[in-house]
Amino acid sequence: MAEELNVLRTWSSPWGLRVVYALKMKGLEYETILEDLKNKSDLLLEHNPVYKKIPVLVHNGKPICESLVILEYIDDTWKQCPLLPQDPYERAMARFWAKFGDDKLLPSIRSGFYTRGKEQEEGVATAIGNLKFIEKLLKGKKFFGGDTIGYLDLAFGWMANVISIMEEIAEIKLIDAETFPLISAWINNFSTHPMIKDLWPPRDRMIEKYKAIREPYLRKEA
Amino acid sequence: MAEELNVLRTWSSPWGLRVVYALKMKGLEYETILEDLKNKSDLLLEHNPVYKKIPVLVHNGKPICESLVILEYIDDTWKQCPLLPQDPYERAMARFWAKFGDDKLLPSIRSGFYTRGKEQEEGVATAIGNLKFIEKLLKGKKFFGGDTIGYLDLAFGWMANVISIMEEIAEIKLIDAETFPLISAWINNFSTHPMIKDLWPPRDRMIEKYKAIREPYLRKEA
């Protein structure tokens, strides 16, 4: 069956990258449709009327939204190279930690990035506390998925994409190699993986982008 | 194999009910361990060190946290009476809307419940806008799962549990039968279903409980 797979995303979004990495891992051909979030396309508004956000995977004309939902859809639809573990308990753990990443860890990291002074210190401390849970998950493993990249590696891809960018811009330290040797090694293993590295957003553009999105927050504070 | 299934929950929590309803639908025997959230048990703190929250399903000694993750675990582990649809696209839709319920709809309903005046009006208006998406999902269906209760019915169980309680206490109207005939019928079908009704939290206790949790918010405002 001829599959038509389109991914609505931006060049930089880690949530969009989750989707294209998953499709690449499954060996599927797809087209990227780059969105300008300041001027959203009719296609995006039509396919994601609830959130009006990227990424959207459009499979033979049918839209699927929310990146973790999309990863499950991809894994349910194409059985080769499974993303989620097969064991129900391991699957539950992968889902639990992916959700923790989005709901808890990321907001704590953002609160260290978008602030200054005492608020920033507190954000960084909370983020480091959250990262300690993640460090433990990697004990004895190269990837969260074990020997190979899986669902949880893709779910945590944003850590590799953005943390060092945020650290550089906000002059904070979240992941130092002594406290987090396993996460540090994972970031290196993940970002240099043949399936992953080609689509890696260029560091200079990321720095520029994240400086620009941080700036209004600091102005509000001043 | 002898299965040991324990559910840490409270008598009232809709998230705890998701889990016990799912176990009942699968025909599984389980024990409820009632938690007092003002004085959390060592068992809860040990089994959910990340969130320290109920519900927790403990299966043969292994804890699983986060109610939607638990539903997936139950469905992955026991194949009888599937909760999620079999079709990958339908599965994705069920997951998408369950997440929407927790991330968007519930906060909008809360913002109509915990406030007064203009803020309350805005909260109610947003909630009604969100409920319109849900109404459409029920077109031609008795349950979100079709003819029978499924994952999305359990995920949306909180609507049936708490909306009318909140409406009565805060003197607001969220679901009127004219605007939302399908949700209104669903609430009735769901809450009177033989699998569901026996564990339904008593209305008078729910009123008392929600009055008590609303009160500090209003004091803060005054």
Side-chain angles (χ1 to χ4, degrees):
Chain A
M1 187 171 99
E3 304 276 10
E4 194 184 35
L5 284 166
N6 292 305
V7 182
L8 280 64
R9 66 178 187 102
T10 62
W11 66 271
S12 62
S13 162
W15 329 115
L17 288 173
R18 281 178 175 169
V19 176
V20 292
Y21 290 151
L23 295 173
K24 277 183 80 176
M25 291 190 62
K26 295 282 184 180
L28 299 163
E29 300 274 327
Y30 65 90
E31 293 261 339
T32 283
I33 301 174
L34 282 180
E35 281 289 326
D36 171 6
L37 297 184
K38 287 184 186 134
N39 183 21
K40 294 176 185 179
S41 73
D42 290 345
L43 196 68
L44 176 58
L45 300 178
E46 180 196 319
H47 281 331
N48 192 352
V50 176
Y51 296 106
K52 305 174 179 71
K53 281 194 321 190
I54 60 102
V56 181
L57 173 66
V58 190
H59 180 203
N60 296 334
K62 284 164 125 177
I64 305 108
C65 305
E66 295 290 280
S67 60
L68 294 180
V69 174
I70 298 172
L71 292 192
E72 297 258 8
Y73 175 76
I74 291 170
D75 217 26
D76 279 344
T77 305
W78 295 279
K79 301 294 181 191
Q80 67 273 27
C81 308
L83 300 174
L84 277 158
Q86 299 305 295
D87 173 72
Y89 192 75
E90 295 300 316
R91 290 166 79 83
M93 291 303 104
R95 289 176 175 131
F96 174 86
W97 290 111
K99 190 170 178 337
F100 172 81
D102 285 5
D103 295 353
K104 280 278 176 189
L105 177 58
L106 180 62
S108 67
I109 287 176
R110 281 186 172 144
S111 78
F113 178 65
Y114 287 118
T115 54
R116 276 188 185 137
K118 194 158 181 295
E119 210 184 331
Q120 180 168 64
E121 274 171 40
E122 284 170 6
V124 168
T126 306
I128 287 173
N130 286 333
L131 285 164
K132 286 182 182 166
F133 287 114
I134 308 300
E135 178 77 6
K136 282 189 206 156
L137 303 180
L138 283 165
K139 206 172 163 190
K141 287 183 185 177
K142 184 173 180 185
F143 295 108
F144 293 98
D147 293 333
T148 55
I149 287 177
Y151 168 90
L152 193 51
D153 295 277
L154 300 185
F156 281 153
W158 63 266
M159 292 204 300
N161 291 135
V162 304
I163 287 182
S164 76
I165 309 285
M166 288 178 164
E167 286 179 329
E168 181 176 327
I169 295 170
E171 297 175 353
I172 53 179
K173 196 70 201 170
L174 295 162
I175 299 181
D176 81 75
E178 262 184 58
T179 316
F180 298 111
L182 304 178
I183 301 179
S184 301
W186 172 81
I187 288 176
N188 189 49
N189 292 331
F190 182 77
S191 59
T192 57
H193 190 283
M195 283 290 183
I196 301 295
K197 67 176 183 196
D198 290 348
L199 288 169
W200 205 255
R203 188 169 182 91
D204 52 347
R205 284 186 73 191
M206 287 291 275
I207 293 275
E208 194 184 330
K209 183 191 157 77
Y210 276 82
K211 268 188 184 162
I213 56 179
R214 183 174 184 241
E215 212 262 327
Y217 288 88
L218 300 184
R219 233 182 316 168
K220 240 184 279 169
E221 270 197 350
Chain B
M1 188 171 96
E3 304 276 9
E4 196 186 33
L5 285 166
N6 291 306
V7 182
L8 281 63
R9 67 177 186 102
T10 62
W11 65 272
S12 62
S13 162
W15 328 116
L17 288 172
R18 281 178 175 170
V19 176
V20 291
Y21 290 152
L23 294 174
K24 277 184 78 173
M25 292 188 63
K26 295 284 183 179
L28 298 163
E29 301 274 329
Y30 65 90
E31 293 262 341
T32 284
I33 300 173
L34 282 181
E35 281 289 326
D36 172 5
L37 297 184
K38 287 182 186 136
N39 183 20
K40 294 177 185 178
S41 72
D42 290 344
L43 196 68
L44 176 58
L45 300 177
E46 179 196 322
H47 280 332
N48 192 354
V50 176
Y51 296 107
K52 304 172 179 71
K53 281 193 322 189
I54 58 102
V56 180
L57 172 66
V58 190
H59 180 204
N60 296 335
K62 285 164 125 178
I64 305 109
C65 305
E66 295 290 280
S67 60
L68 294 180
V69 173
I70 297 172
L71 292 191
E72 297 258 6
Y73 175 77
I74 291 171
D75 217 27
D76 279 344
T77 304
W78 295 280
K79 301 296 182 191
Q80 67 273 27
C81 309
L83 301 174
L84 277 158
Q86 299 305 295
D87 172 72
Y89 192 76
E90 295 300 317
R91 290 166 79 83
M93 291 303 103
R95 289 177 176 131
F96 174 85
W97 289 111
K99 189 171 177 345
F100 171 82
D102 285 5
D103 294 353
K104 281 278 177 187
L105 177 58
L106 180 62
S108 67
I109 287 176
R110 282 185 172 147
S111 78
F113 178 65
Y114 287 117
T115 55
R116 275 186 184 140
K118 194 159 180 292
E119 210 183 333
Q120 181 170 63
E121 276 171 38
E122 284 169 7
V124 169
T126 306
I128 287 174
N130 286 334
L131 284 164
K132 286 182 181 167
F133 286 114
I134 308 301
E135 178 76 6
K136 282 190 204 153
L137 301 181
L138 283 166
K139 207 174 163 189
K141 288 183 185 175
K142 183 173 181 185
F143 294 108
F144 292 99
D147 294 334
T148 54
I149 286 177
Y151 168 90
L152 193 51
D153 294 278
L154 300 185
F156 280 153
W158 62 265
M159 291 205 300
N161 291 133
V162 303
I163 287 182
S164 76
I165 309 285
M166 289 178 164
E167 286 179 328
E168 182 176 326
I169 295 170
E171 298 175 354
I172 52 177
K173 194 71 201 167
L174 295 162
I175 299 182
D176 81 74
E178 262 184 57
T179 316
F180 298 111
L182 303 179
I183 299 178
S184 301
W186 172 81
I187 287 176
N188 189 50
N189 291 332
F190 182 77
S191 59
T192 58
H193 189 283
M195 283 289 183
I196 301 296
K197 67 177 183 196
D198 290 348
L199 289 170
W200 206 256
R203 188 170 182 90
D204 53 347
R205 285 188 73 191
M206 286 291 274
I207 293 274
E208 194 185 330
K209 181 191 159 76
Y210 276 82
K211 268 188 184 162
I213 55 179
R214 184 174 184 241
E215 212 262 327
Y217 288 89
L218 300 183
R219 233 183 316 167
K220 239 183 280 170
E221 270 198 348

